[in-house]
Each structure stands twice: as C-alpha cells, then as structure tokens.
Amino acid sequence: MKKVFITANLPGKSVELLKRDFHVEVFPEERSPTQDEILQGAKDAHALITMVADRIDKNSIDACPNLSVISNCGVGYENIDVSYATRKGIFVANTPGVLTETTADLVWALIFSVARRIVEGDLFVRERKFVGWRPTLLLGVNVHGKTLGIYGMGRIGTAAARRAKGFNMQVIYYNRKKNEEAERETGAKYVDFPTLLGESDFIVITAPLNEESRGRFGLEEFRKMKRSSVLVNVGRGQIVKEKELSLALKEGIIWGAGLDVYEREPIIEEELLNLTNVVLLPHLGSASRETREKMAEMAVESVIQTLNGKTPRNLINPEVFEMK
Ligand code: DGY
C-alpha cells in the first residue's frame, strides 16, 4: 500500500478519504515538525502533504526515493525547492484560489484593529480600567476616505482592494507589472514604489516572497511613509525587516502595524512584543474553518490524483513532464 505522510493534522474529513486507499501517517503534534521529524515520516512515503512552515529542500527530497508528489497545503510554496523536485520528476501542487477572500478579510481585520486600537481597547476593558466615556480615550485614525496602498496586486491584493470601495477609499498599488484586470475591477491606480510609500495611509503587503520582495520594507522605506500611516503584512514575513520595523514603530516613524507573518516565523522580534501600536497574529490569513477545510481537500485531491496516475489539478511545475 502506498504511503502518504502529512506534516500536520488537517481539519475536515478529507484525510478519511485518503485512508480508504492509502496508508496515511500524520505528524501528531500541534507544532511544526523539525527537519528530522519530517524525514522520519517522509523517507518511505510516496506522497507528502506539507504546510507552508515545512522546509522541503534538496536533502529532504533526496532522502525520499519513493516520492511522486509534494502537495503543499497553502498557496505560497517558497518552502519547497520546486526546481529540484522538478529535476527529480516529482509533482509539486498547492491550494490557490480558495483562500483569497478569507485572507482579504483578515487584511481588513488588521487594518481596523490597528487603526481603531481594538486590541488595546479590549485589554483596557478586561483590566477594568474603563471608568466612563472620555474625549481623549484611545484615539485612533480614520480608515474611511483614506488611501489604501497595495504592495502585490495578485488575487489577494485585488480582493482586499475590492473591499475598499465600501469605505470610500482611493486605492493605489505597486506590482512587478500592471494588473489591468484588477484596475478595472477595483478602480486601483498603478504607481511606482516611492509613490506607494509616500501617498498611502495604509500599506498592505500581499506579495509573495521573491527576489524583488525580500527585505523590501526597511527603515529607509518607513522614513518615506507618512508618520500617520499603518503597515499591514499578510504576505510573507521576510518582505519586512522586522528589527527596523520595531524601531520605526517605537520612534513614531510610522503610526502602527498589523502583522500576520514574521521574518523568522514562528520567532518574533522581541521588541515588537513590547509595543502597543502593533497587532500580532499567528499566521491566520486563511484560518476560517470553511477555507482550511477546502485547502485540506485540495491538498488531498492532488495526492489522490497523482497516486492514481493522473496529473494534479493544481500542479505548480508542469515542466516536470520534460523530465519524465
Ligand atoms: C499560504 O497559503 O501561503 C498562506 O500563507 C497560508 O495561510
């Protein structure tokens, strides 16, 4: 019987489906497995279902001689050495599309949490400090009518921009190339990177991690942003230099930040933990029950398709056919 190794417990019933035809092993703990633990479970597996936090590099691929598919439960796949997997004739699949709207919802949860100081307000009440309405209590900044800047106008950026209409906001964006379809749909205007920094009241990072985006936001960029501005990152942590962000927040170079992803995830820059003008979430972008169940279904589907001799629907590396 072919073996499938899954590096985390998945929500929903899709794993049960796999168990009908395959031997399934699941990493049982509520934390990411170490490299050794991945190899332990994966070494004799024919298929792997991985999470975005699992690093699947050349060595891990070499250690799994039976592997025919790596199915990543997430849309990003920079955790996998895709070109090496391709050379070895291994399919790599992901779960695009299903998490777009859910992640765009979270963008707005972060925008409002930071702008209207929701987390601080909640804590204030729980600590029984609320003694009555005060005209200066926990003043935030308006969201409506402001300028939203999107860094990375892909699916999630477009979905986030679409929601801005309801708040009467102007939307500008920077992308590697113009996204005319997104412009038509959301009314967003393409600008260069310095303009995005200088004109946005809220900058939302929805870009994937690549050579252009890595380390793109640091002190130099924060200094070009408005002092009243807010940075939200739901893309990838390595796009923002976290130490420099904590300095910018501490010194009031920008007004606030909302982060769902981190440079050395799950390790978080210590300084950020002591600041009240940043809202910190544990990578919850796609974390609604409905969406996570759909992601699990898609990841499982790619494994079933591959192990039954078909091509996975969400194949990332079609070049693999040239190797076969
Ligand atoms: C992804 O899919 O890349 C997300 O970061 C996981 O929610």
Side-chain angles (χ1 to χ4, degrees):
M1 208 179 210
K2 288 190 172 162
K3 174 175 167 181
V4 182
F5 179 62
I6 311 179
T7 63
N9 274 308
L10 297 176
K13 301 207 180 332
S14 48
V15 175
E16 293 312 308
L17 201 71
L18 261 186
K19 285 184 179 163
R20 288 192 201 153
D21 296 311
F22 306 107
H23 167 63
V24 178
E25 238 175 73
V26 180
F27 181 70
E29 296 183 36
E30 281 309 309
R31 61 168 172 86
S32 296
T34 62
Q35 272 322 88
D36 281 351
E37 287 165 334
I38 294 179
L39 290 191
Q40 195 50 38
K43 62 180 191 293
D44 52 348
H46 299 83
L48 274 187
I49 298 184
T50 51
M51 311 303 126
V52 291
D54 305 323
R55 192 162 47 85
I56 307 295
D57 57 13
K58 194 168 176 291
N59 291 340
S60 350
I61 293 172
D62 280 339
C64 307
N66 299 332
L67 209 56
S68 47
V69 59
I70 304 166
S71 179
N72 212 36
C73 191
V75 67
Y77 48 82
E78 73 287 340
N79 56 315
I80 299 170
D81 189 336
V82 178
S83 62
Y84 192 65
T86 307
R87 271 166 52 202
K88 301 289 275 189
I90 298 169
F91 286 147
V92 183
N94 68 342
T95 62
V98 284
L99 49 76
T100 303
E101 300 297 328
T102 306
T103 308
D105 288 346
L106 192 90
V107 165
W108 286 89
L110 279 172
I111 288 178
F112 279 106
S113 300
V114 179
R116 301 303 303 272
R117 305 177 67 173
I118 302 296
V119 177
E120 284 176 89
D122 179 84
L123 196 67
F124 188 82
V125 173
R126 287 173 201 272
E127 288 177 344
R128 300 183 190 283
K129 291 182 181 159
F130 181 40
V131 289
W133 190 88
R134 305 258 311 280
T136 54
L137 181 62
L138 289 175
L139 301 185
V141 291
N142 278 337
V143 174
H144 66 271
K146 296 279 182 73
T147 297
L148 175 69
I150 305 274
Y151 178 74
M153 192 63 121
R155 275 186 282 239
I156 297 171
T158 307
R162 204 187 313 120
R163 287 158 172 74
K165 274 189 196 157
F167 297 103
N168 195 25
M169 294 172 87
Q170 192 202 343
V171 184
I172 55 179
Y173 74 100
Y174 174 75
N175 210 28
R176 288 218 268 205
K177 48 183 193 303
K178 273 183 107 178
N179 183 341
E180 279 165 13
E181 203 183 316
E183 289 181 16
R184 272 193 299 279
E185 194 190 336
T186 67
K189 196 173 100 207
Y190 183 79
V191 293
D192 58 20
F193 189 55
T195 307
L196 184 91
L197 295 175
E199 288 189 5
S200 303
D201 296 296
F202 297 89
I203 293 191
V204 173
I205 301 174
T206 49
L209 184 66
N210 53 41
E211 281 330 298
E212 194 193 324
S213 64
R214 189 182 293 276
R216 193 72 202 262
F217 286 80
L219 211 44
E220 201 185 317
E221 286 70 33
F222 301 136
R223 289 212 165 97
K224 291 181 182 146
M225 288 166 62
K226 297 181 185 175
R227 285 189 93 87
S228 57
S229 68
V230 169
L231 181 78
V232 166
N233 189 5
V234 300
R236 282 294 181 259
Q238 295 96 320
I239 297 173
V240 175
K241 293 177 184 152
E242 219 164 275
K243 229 184 199 357
E244 298 184 22
L245 174 65
S246 52
L247 192 72
L249 289 167
K250 201 166 152 200
E251 309 221 325
I253 294 168
I254 64 170
W255 194 76
L259 305 178
D260 189 39
V261 287
Y262 303 90
E263 209 174 351
R264 291 170 299 137
E265 210 167 304
I267 299 163
I268 295 173
E269 176 62 31
E270 197 58 36
E271 196 74 53
L272 284 177
L273 301 172
N274 301 320
L275 296 172
T276 52
N277 56 344
V278 59
V279 172
L280 305 167
L281 295 180
H283 204 147
L284 294 180
S286 57
S288 72
R289 175 154 297 282
E290 302 95 309
T291 294
R292 286 282 167 86
E293 286 185 3
K294 278 191 206 137
M295 289 164 70
E297 273 164 34
M298 283 172 91
V300 163
E301 185 190 44
S302 293
V303 167
I304 295 178
Q305 286 165 335
T306 306
L307 297 186
N308 285 328
K310 301 200 181 99
T311 304
R313 193 154 51 98
N314 296 300
L315 184 68
I316 292 164
N317 58 341
E319 308 79 28
V320 76
F321 288 109
E322 291 158 30
M323 307 290 152
K324 285 197 185 267

